[in-house]
Amino acid sequence: MKEVKAILQPFMLPHVRDALHALEGLSAITTSEFHGVGAREIASYEEHVRVKLEVLVPDRLVGAVVDVIQRHAHTGNPGDGYVLVIPVERTTRIRTGEDVVET
């Protein structure tokens, strides 16, 4: 299982979310809005509002999820964002204490 995180332009979130919803076998996604500071030029830092999307993904769907995010978040302009894929060693449901296994 992997965690896929994506940093997106806020106005692209509905496109990405709808495209991910069409994929079979994904659990819920988590989104949060944040302020990031990036340097476009030396000594020039600008604050930008971005959205972070997080989703746990079975290994077999990682490629499809990354592809969907990249295609539906792309504007071609600077600041389109990033997609990160992170290994997940263990996932435990708090309510029941059971380990969640990849399906």
Side-chain angles (χ1 to χ4, degrees), residues 34-49:
F34 68 95
H35 295 258
V37 178
R40 292 193 191 262
E41 298 178 17
I42 296 174
S44 174
Y45 291 93
E46 297 178 31
E47 185 174 287
H48 303 278
V49 175

Side-chain angles (χ1 to χ4, degrees), residues 1-93:
M1 183 173 288
K2 304 286 190 275
E3 179 183 22
V4 176
K5 291 185 181 188
I7 307 300
L8 311 171
Q9 300 267 10
F11 63 90
M12 299 306 285
L13 177 60
H15 306 290
V16 173
R17 185 186 55 226
D18 292 346
L20 288 173
H21 182 69
L23 288 178
E24 296 279 332
L26 281 186
S27 61
I29 64 172
T30 300
T31 61
S32 52
E33 187 175 286
F34 68 95
H35 295 258
V37 178
R40 292 193 191 262
E41 298 178 17
I42 296 174
S44 174
Y45 291 93
E46 297 178 31
E47 185 174 287
H48 303 278
V49 175
R50 293 291 184 262
V51 172
K52 181 168 52 172
L53 178 145
E54 299 170 284
V55 61
L56 291 177
V57 180
D59 289 339
R60 63 185 169 78
L61 292 178
V62 170
V65 168
V66 170
D67 181 60
V68 163
I69 293 170
Q70 197 280 323
R71 283 188 293 118
H72 289 88
H74 179 264
T75 68
N77 296 316
D80 270 355
Y82 298 92
V83 180
L84 300 90
V85 178
I86 303 157
V88 175
E89 290 185 29
R90 180 178 173 185
T91 304
T92 304
R93 185 168 283 120

